[in-house]
Amino acid sequence: MSTTDTTANPKGKKSYDLYLSFCGVHDDVPFVLKLREALSSYVPEALIFFDFVKLRHIGRVTVTAPSELSLNVIQDCKMVIIILSRNYTNSQSCLQELEFITQCCLTIPALIVLPVLYPIEPSLQIGIFGQPFHNFLDRVSIKEISQGEDKIMTLVEAMSKSTQYPTDFAPMDGDEYDCVKSVVDRVISVIYKKRPELSRTFYTPSVKSSVQDVIQLLKQSKSPLVIGIWGIAGIGKTTIAKTIYDLIGPYFEGKCMLLNVGGVWGRNNGPVSLQEELLFHVNKATGFEKVTLKRNLRNKRVLVILEDVNKLEQLNALCGSRNWFGAGSKIIITTRDRRLLKEYGVDHIYRVKELDESESLDVFKWGAFGKETSPENFDELSRQVVAYSGGWPLALIALGRLLHGKEALQWEGVLWSLKNFSIPAPRLLNILEKSFNELSDNEKQTFLDIASFFIGKNQNDVLQTLNRSTQRAAFQISLLEDKSLVAIDENNKLEMHILLQAMARDIIKRESSSRTNQAKMYDVFLSFRGEDSRAKFMSHLYSSLQNAELERIMEISRARGLDVVPVFYEVDPAEVRHQEGQFGKAFEELRSTTSVNESTKTNWRRDLFDIGSKAGFVLKDSRNESGDVKNIVESVSRLLDRTELFVAEHQVGVESRVEAATKLLDIQKSEDVLVLGIWGMGGMGKTTIAKAIYNQIGSKFEGKSFLLNIREIWETNNQVSLQQQVLGDIYKTMTFKIRDIESGKIILKERLSQNRILFVLDDVNEVDQLNALCGSREWFGPGSRIIITTRDLHILNSCRVDQVHRIEEMDGNESLELFCWHAFKQSRPTKDFARHSTDVIAYSGGLPLALQVLGSYLSDCEIPVWQKVLEKLKCIPHNQVHKKLKVSFDGLKDITEKQAFLDIACFFIGMDRNDVTQILNGCGFFADIGIKVLIERSLVTVDNRNKLQMHDLLRDMGRQIIYEESPFDLEKRSRLWRPEEVFDILSKYTGTKAVKGLALEFPKTNKVCLDTKAFKKMNKLRLLQLARKGSLVAMELKYSNLKYSWNWSQKMLENLKFLNLSHSLELTETPNFDYMPNLEKIVLKDCPSLSSVSYTIGDLDKLLLINLSNCTGLGTLPRSIYGLKSLETFILSGCSLIDKLEEDLECMKSLTTLIVDKTAITKVSFSIVRSKSIKYISLPGFEGFSRDVFPSLIRSWMSPSKNVISLVQTFAPMSSLGLCMKCDSKPQLSQDVARILDALKATNCQKLEPSATSTPSRLINDYIAQASTSKSNNFLKSFLIQMGMKLQSTNIAQDNILQTADGIWDPILLPCYNISDWSTISSKGCSIIFDVPTMKGSNLKNMTLFLVYYSSSDNIASEGCQGVLIINYTKTTIQAYTKDALTSFEDEDWKSITSNLESGNKVEIVVVLGDGFIVEKTTVYLLYDEPIDKEMEHCNAIGKESVIAFSHEDKNVGVSDGDNIHVPMDHIITGSEQDEALSDDKHGQAMSRKRKSDYSNGIHYNA
């Protein structure tokens, strides 16, 4: 692949294949370069455009626009790869490029876009899209969608229009290698025009169109939206849903796709497991109550897909109502039942349509031939098969796989079956019957009647007939229509898919057949002609057909699975199949001379075709009839082989597990070699299930072998005997001689590949065993099945099995029944033993081995014996069970894995996997790998809350191993976990160096006094609730009586990572943290005596969490704590003496969670809202995500009525009504102005994002631009804001400024002074910048703001003013007031403003209006207590347009009934006059004077 440097001459235009869109910032560059290198290596023919100029800006987000060359390349290339990162979405240049790419998606159909999220955290997926990204969405979508539509979905729709295959999105779910590989695979499919892997083969244009249709529906509302996808089973609903999930999932805060909801719902505890899975995936939480779901989902934008729903109660439990979900959430439901969607009340129902003929052929050919084209002689056959599929994808796939590799004659046989309404693919039939089995009895009967008699008939006529025998026939038909089993065409005629008709006839045939369970008297029926059979096949045919013998044989074969072995004696099978040659002539002669109806003759042809298609023996011109007879006898012997394995005396729960596993084997896919792994812990019943499967399906194979207990035999070095047994089992002979393992491999591969084999390998524990016994799939003939049972999942993954079936524990009912059969020889316990039986069941934990062993052991025992046995089992496991389970432990190869297992068994069950991993890694156990191995060996499990779990019997097995280290001397055991044993050695100081781990749990009530001397001899202690070699890693001393004594050795604490002293009621101070440099978590909950935290806590540079909740005696915190840059979570909830947070809080750069509710804090610094890291915060009166809390907090500081928690003022104004603050620098001033504007406009304005170079003026301009709309058809209004000394209202103020045509005011009264001189400054827009005049002998007494603005008909009655900002650039101060605060102004409050406005200060005043209001002009009136003389210096007014100054005192400034402001032209400085007046100031200068103006009190709105 060649790459292009953008510094090259752009005139030499090239046609590029790929364009890489990325942000050249440090974090992104390594991945971008790695991707470019991979593309260069694996797609060398492609020409890529790589913008090296971006790499020159490493370290900063560029703001320059994309080059013209880049934009031209995007238009002309084949594919664009976008690296969507946080840096990318915060870059103006990148977003401009993305906007251009999006527009190209809409206008250039051939362009393919591949977004790549890098990096992305699943719990914060939406976090990658910052405010600039949402501004970008507004910009690109304003032309496309209405105000109520979902903007993110609009972007997804635009990009997905160009996707070529499903999941054309590469999120970073795995590591970078996986992501790069995924991108390269996509590029290869585009450049080389190759189909992707088989999983994408069926992504047809119809599927893509359906995906687009559904996304179009999803974007119609910002509110939670529910879409139903409806259609017959196998029509492609799940494919569409999965594709949508992959395409739009990354754009949500949480996502979950629950598969097979209907199936899981019916299982034991199914509803709860579905709810827990939904909670876990969306919120990384657990719970199963509806209220829990609602509480955890309602504040999130989530995507939830419920696949294959079949009951309304499932929807009520999993997605309740729309108010369960946050704004922008999408819920997609796939179902076969339209009525269910109607009853739930979905917003839209999307019906999945059948494929057209072209797409159907494409799908079918991929299944039948593995490519898009078919061999020439199969074109017409393919079209005929496709015609019977009716555009149904499932049928196309099933029939394609069925016919894969078959000859044309076999195709004709399948077509003949389809023509005769018979489904030749059992899997297809099973799926169809699933829909039928879910029907009620009445619906079933109506369906069968329609299929048999009423296809193509008018619905009214059908109803008239059915109503005679069926109640509510119309309702039954509507139900069938809702379930896609019946359709009604435009002529009101009933229609049904041809395969549904075939399924119905098959059901009827089975119901009517007279199948019995009587024992068979004979094994073989020999059908022959009594005369000499040589060359007498015709005579035998005549007799067989005349007597209906052949017809009956084939009927039984089809109905009951009877094995039929044809022997073609002196005749070719093809002649029998097609009735050709001499055979055909004889058959035609028979037809013409036999008086039977045409139906019978048709049946003859069908039976001859079937018998001629069966595998049999062709004896034509044979010279060795004895050999032929031997072959036939051997074949029949194999078919009659009844060698069955003993399964179990009481097969409780076996049938359902066998059925589940057998489905995975998919016996009907005869040409595939399939490997199934059966996995589970020891004693779970893996071998039992494998035996039952072997017995059930063994007869369907040409040979079979079951190797039992491979692990035990392998350990005896008798491996060759296993290879010998395989050949003996399959070929019924021991003549094969095997010298060694390697020669045995050659023989096995040569022999087994010739036959369809069933091969079971039991109890495999090493990969070498599989290499020696079953090598690879190439060793076996087509259609073979290999089953492997093992305790080690890693083995199955290593040999890449096709399916893994995990054996689940028995449920309560199964456990009780199995136990009772062994204990009482009946399925239920006797009355006296019921309670004790329940105790044994609980102890056994659903493990079949334990149930059988304990049941047999307790059989015929009296109740006292039972009681003693149960008591003993609590301490010492049963030897037989222990021995069986310990095999898995002994099989661990690495000592660290064994140590990790023992530590988990003794200390960590129920703990978070990540925490345990970190602790064990601290012990040097490489726990990331070790825990994975334990999970694969079924020794440990991880629940949906990421907690480590272990079967109780495995736990007891591990603890028994520790007990056996020293049964009688506690101090010589490596681990101690029982409280009484721990207290014994600690109180007696008997601990020794043998003790490596010790779980110390203080009782809540009894007082226990311990001395640290007890640990003196434990110099190998690595766990106190867990630890590392030579030092503690975790210390958990909850409910202890510690006060302040911390005489621990430094060496013991230097690797401590977890410290938990919660509920230590007498603890008064924390330790010196200098001894704990690696501490990560400090938990001191509910320590009421704690009054001091060591200042050394500030030196813990790895600390992640501090929890001091309910430490009611703690009044202060060391200042050093605010220097913790690694701290993520800080909890002070309930610390009722804590009354402040220092301004240094913003220095805690990693802090994401701050909880300080229920404290005495009444004031906080503005620095708290400057924090960029805090995501969740809880203050007195405020709680939630920072994006919601911070604006509310700022507004509360500006509103006296809402001031729950006040602001620590950084300069001292006389008023407390508003927000007054001083900033450290001008950049900080810009950032704080943006935050205040956001707070005032939080409900209707996009967030302002200041950069390092932004100024308040630029931010205000951005704010004004956001608020701008068209002025046409709007209403002109005005209002007056007056602040200052109390004045009497003058006629000028009342008549000239505030008077309107209709006299409507919206007054907010403010006090004024009575005598003033004033000057005015005016500017276009809602803000005005000026220099405070220098006055001699005059004091500023009053400031009045007058605004003229537009409002729309939608908000004409709304209040316009949200607040006022006074920004002093000279002093870098901000004063902000809400409208409510202004109404409360007194003289002292006014002085707080004037005291901060000194002569020469550069000041900007901003009036913030609500959404939809447009300010035409802002005028500021400055009132002084003495006349303004000529010595007053100039006042600068800086506006967006020319400055307008008013100078006469008796002229009106009126507002007409129209849209214009009428101002007397002779009083406005314009044109040349203005140029002259402003010649000394490039910004424009204007000053005028009015004398003795009286203003009425208040803020006045004028419309």
Side-chain angles (χ1 to χ4, degrees), residues 452-685:
S452 301
F453 308 113
F454 300 123
I455 302 299
K457 300 297 177 62
N458 187 281
Q459 181 180 201
N460 296 331
D461 297 337
V462 174
L463 289 174
Q464 189 174 4
T465 303
L466 290 179
N467 282 330
R468 298 171 184 169
S469 58
T470 305
Q471 294 181 352
R472 303 173 66 194
F475 178 66
Q476 303 297 336
I477 291 177
S478 70
L479 291 177
L480 294 174
E481 185 182 11
D482 284 334
K483 294 176 180 178
S484 305
L485 295 174
V486 169
I488 301 172
D489 66 13
E490 63 275 9
N491 298 319
N492 200 37
K493 293 184 178 181
L494 297 182
E495 299 294 342
M496 183 182 291
H497 196 287
I498 189 170
L499 293 177
L500 289 174
Q501 297 178 51
M503 182 263 290
R505 299 192 181 191
D506 186 82
I507 291 171
I508 294 170
K509 184 175 182 180
R510 274 185 279 139
E511 289 180 349
S512 61
S513 66
S514 56
R515 298 177 63 181
T516 67
N517 293 322
Q518 296 178 358
K520 301 178 179 64
M521 185 177 296
Y522 302 100
D523 294 319
V524 179
F525 175 80
L526 187 60
S527 177
F528 66 100
R529 182 73 167 159
E531 305 169 12
D532 184 2
S533 291
R534 285 173 297 179
K536 298 295 184 180
F537 195 91
M538 305 309 171
S539 113
H540 175 46
L541 169 68
Y542 180 85
S543 173
S544 180
L545 291 178
Q546 284 284 61
N547 298 324
E549 185 178 287
L550 178 61
E551 184 176 359
R552 181 58 178 159
I553 290 172
M554 298 310 296
E555 180 183 341
I556 296 173
S557 173
R558 284 188 288 267
R560 304 185 189 178
L562 177 69
D563 290 314
V564 177
V565 181
V567 178
F568 300 97
Y569 192 78
E570 298 297 343
V571 67
D572 193 305
E575 293 183 0
V576 178
R577 261 198 310 273
H578 303 293
Q579 296 90 56
E580 297 173 344
Q582 294 297 320
F583 183 90
K585 292 179 181 178
F587 179 71
E588 287 301 325
E589 180 182 344
L590 174 64
R591 289 188 60 197
S592 61
T593 59
T594 305
S595 58
V596 294
N597 56 38
E598 288 300 318
S599 175
T600 300
K601 294 178 181 179
T602 300
N603 288 341
W604 288 355
R605 283 192 177 277
R606 177 196 63 187
D607 295 335
L608 289 172
F609 182 89
D610 286 351
I611 195 69
S613 302
K614 284 186 174 292
F617 296 89
V618 180
L619 307 183
K620 193 174 183 181
D621 300 327
S622 175
R623 297 181 180 179
N624 184 12
E625 287 192 354
S626 62
D628 295 335
V629 170
K630 181 180 178 181
N631 291 336
I632 294 172
V633 170
E634 288 182 353
S635 176
V636 173
S637 297
R638 282 196 296 270
L639 290 173
L640 295 178
D641 183 9
R642 288 199 180 91
T643 306
E644 292 190 351
L645 301 173
F646 176 79
V647 176
E649 185 177 358
H650 305 290
Q651 298 185 22
V652 178
V654 171
E655 183 177 353
S656 61
R657 289 164 174 79
V658 168
E659 181 180 0
T662 304
K663 286 181 179 178
L664 298 178
L665 286 170
D666 205 353
I667 303 301
Q668 302 304 323
K669 293 171 61 175
S670 58
E671 295 303 315
D672 299 329
V673 176
L674 190 147
V675 184
L676 171 68
I678 299 179
W679 170 59
M681 64 179 283
M684 194 61 76

Side-chain angles (χ1 to χ4, degrees), residues 1364-1402:
V1364 174
L1365 270 69
I1366 302 173
I1367 307 166
N1368 191 324
Y1369 292 94
T1370 305
K1371 295 184 176 182
T1372 61
T1373 62
I1374 304 171
Q1375 292 168 276
Y1377 306 92
T1378 62
K1379 186 193 71 176
D1380 294 338
L1382 295 173
T1383 63
S1384 306
F1385 257 42
E1386 300 290 346
D1387 287 348
E1388 293 301 318
D1389 302 313
W1390 164 243
K1391 290 178 183 178
S1392 71
I1393 296 179
T1394 58
S1395 65
N1396 193 48
L1397 299 178
E1398 299 178 358
S1399 298
N1401 288 172
K1402 184 177 180 180

Side-chain angles (χ1 to χ4, degrees), residues 94 242 286 312 644 1047 1068 1148 1234:
C94 291
K242 283 184 176 178
T286 59
L312 183 61
E644 292 190 351
N1047 297 322
T1068 59
M1148 305 174 85

